[in-house]
Amino acid sequence: MLARSASMQDRVAMYNANALKIGIFGANCSSGRSATKVPERWTATWPDCLRLARMADEAGIDFMLPIGRWKGYGGDTNFHGTTLETVTWAVGLLGATQRITVFGTVHAPLFHPLIAAKEFVTADHIGEGRFGINLVVGWNEGEFEMFGVTQREHDVRYDYAQEWLDAIKRAWTEPNAFDFDGRFVKLRNVQASPKPYGDTRPIIMNAGSSPAGQAFALRNCDAFFVATAGSRTSLEGNARKVAEIKLAATNLGREIEVYTVGQVICRPTQQAAEDYYRHAIIENADWGAIDGMLAIKNITPQTLPAEEYAVKRQYFAANAIGGYPFVGTPDRVAEELHGLSKAGVRGIALSFVNYLDELPYFCDEVLPRLARLGARAAH
């Protein structure tokens, strides 16, 4: 392990000087972020995740971000039908790496706050300050039914998450036993030791898109994921979005970093990249799984006119299930990622159809170009 101070500044910077943080998104789930039927799609086995983490660590990738998923979406592949639980996954990867930050993605309503606090501290000590938390409140009713948990009304979910996080932060910081008497969370004579590594805390991220979710992120988080920041077409639009979020945080007396998500298909020629994108993402899309995901959001042929549903269905598949597709040569992908950095986006979590097959080319060709553009430090 590398010696580190684990100050909050170090944690938020992920212990390096890269202006644009590059992460790997969704590798704990079968098919990753690509609802495709191609045979080379990601399987999310533990040996492959371990190889991927070590490869990413050596190449200078900044972080790994898993998806909190408990149930597949059906279709021919049962998209996300095989998943690894995220905190234990992070612990295994942290123990096998030296530099990379690894997140756990945690549904607050499904984890008792004191158990979560202890799990997070344990992971944080194993990683010597490299563990992060992606806090989610949940949206998939079918998953909550598995646990016998009734999902709260939308905005109340964030009221609960606030108490849940407040209780965890007290467990991390209170030197003496304490009681917690909230509306939802009631704890008595709480004692918790050790505290997080380096007497700070893990970095916290959230991707709430509703007004209540955004307000929660601004109050509590170090990193805010904004899916709409993935557009490569408008530097000005992205810069405005980033500025709005940062100003809102400043008005609360806080600082926050803006992140986004995307999918990369990078090949030596533009034609080769576009051909594979069309082959894997469109022509071999798992439409049954895509329909299943849309149905959970109440987007179905029964709730929308046929033409509108077809447009939404195609858009959902073509945009990597909410992550903008960066498709092209190393020069083009690097330029587009650099554009996000120039707009003030602090980082991006990327997915690939097959991470192990495609990450080496991305690291060999795109990362050095980003360094030459000034978005990354030379590795």
Side-chain angles (χ1 to χ4, degrees):
M1 291 287 183
L2 298 178
R4 62 188 79 249
S5 65
S7 71
M8 282 314 301
Q9 184 176 358
D10 289 333
R11 287 179 182 266
V12 172
M14 298 183 188
Y15 308 99
N16 64 57
N18 293 326
L20 181 68
K21 309 298 180 184
I22 301 289
I24 294 172
F25 186 29
N28 68 308
C29 297
S30 58
S31 295
R33 294 285 292 173
S34 305
T36 178
K37 296 186 287 186
V38 295
E40 67 272 20
R41 66 185 182 274
W42 186 244
T43 58
T45 65
W46 172 247
D48 281 354
C49 286
L50 187 59
R51 282 184 60 204
L52 178 65
R54 286 171 169 159
M55 176 190 294
D57 194 40
E58 292 173 3
I61 295 294
D62 301 294
F63 66 97
M64 294 186 71
L65 176 65
I67 298 169
R69 185 68 66 242
W70 302 98
K71 184 178 184 179
Y73 291 106
D76 292 334
T77 65
N78 191 21
F79 180 66
H80 286 184
T82 298
T83 62
L84 298 174
E85 190 281 321
T86 69
V87 178
T88 44
W89 178 84
V91 166
L93 299 182
L94 287 166
T97 55
Q98 292 189 335
R99 302 171 185 84
I100 197 167
T101 294
V102 186
F103 287 84
T105 298
V106 178
H107 287 86
L110 302 183
F111 286 73
H112 189 282
L114 292 185
I115 294 175
K118 182 68 75 173
E119 287 183 334
F120 299 160
V121 165
T122 302
D124 199 41
H125 279 262
I126 290 169
E128 294 188 345
R130 294 182 292 122
F131 178 68
I133 299 161
N134 179 28
L135 176 56
V136 295
V137 300
W139 60 276
N140 189 329
E141 296 288 352
E143 290 189 325
F144 276 67
E145 290 172 359
M146 289 173 55
F147 290 87
V149 174
T150 301
Q151 185 62 294
R152 297 175 175 87
E153 291 299 319
H154 182 274
D155 287 5
V156 180
R157 299 173 194 178
Y158 288 99
D159 295 337
Y160 173 81
Q162 186 67 62
E163 285 191 11
W164 184 89
L165 185 57
D166 288 345
I168 286 174
K169 287 183 175 179
R170 286 195 66 184
W172 285 347
T173 57
E174 290 277 359
N176 303 312
F178 68 92
D179 295 341
F180 190 98
D181 190 19
R183 174 184 171 192
F184 306 102
V185 177
K186 298 181 184 298
L187 310 172
R188 294 291 175 266
N189 194 30
V190 175
Q191 302 173 55
S193 185
K195 306 307 182 186
Y197 185 83
D199 296 323
T200 54
R201 62 166 173 78
I203 60 175
I204 301 170
M205 63 172 53
N206 180 262
S209 57
S210 67
Q214 292 183 34
F216 176 86
L218 290 170
R219 288 194 309 270
N220 297 286
C221 297
D222 308 294
F224 184 27
F225 268 85
V226 183
T228 53
S231 171
R232 67 189 177 194
T233 59
S234 174
L235 175 63
E236 295 78 11
N238 285 325
R240 277 196 305 274
K241 182 68 174 177
V242 171
E244 289 170 6
I245 293 168
K246 286 185 170 290
L247 178 61
T250 300
N251 289 338
L252 295 175
R254 302 192 69 249
E255 294 182 0
I256 199 164
E257 299 289 355
V258 178
Y259 281 66
T260 189
V261 297
Q263 181 188 53
V264 168
I265 293 178
C266 187
R267 299 292 187 271
T269 68
Q270 189 66 32
Q271 188 65 54
E274 292 177 358
D275 286 349
Y276 186 74
Y277 169 79
R278 185 172 58 254
H279 165 74
I281 306 303
I282 305 300
E283 295 172 355
N284 282 283
D286 188 342
W287 293 109
I290 291 166
D291 289 341
M293 283 182 274
L294 291 174
I296 294 171
K297 299 173 182 289
N298 200 34
I299 300 172
T300 71
Q302 289 72 45
T303 61
L304 293 177
E307 287 187 9
E308 185 177 349
Y309 179 73
V311 169
K312 286 186 177 293
R313 189 179 189 238
Q314 185 77 14
Y315 180 86
F316 198 62
N319 284 274
I321 317 168
Y324 192 87
F326 295 86
V327 180
T329 63
D331 283 335
R332 178 164 178 172
V333 172
E335 286 287 351
E336 291 172 353
L337 293 175
H338 183 225
L340 291 178
S341 183
K342 288 192 293 184
V345 174
R346 182 61 160 155
I348 184 166
L350 298 172
S351 62
F352 301 83
V353 173
N354 185 296
Y355 300 85
L356 280 176
D357 289 349
E358 298 176 73
L359 185 64
Y361 186 72
F362 175 85
C363 291
D364 289 346
E365 298 295 336
V366 178
L367 292 188
R369 285 169 166 81
L370 286 171
R372 291 194 290 272
L373 291 167
R376 305 265 303 172
H379 179 69

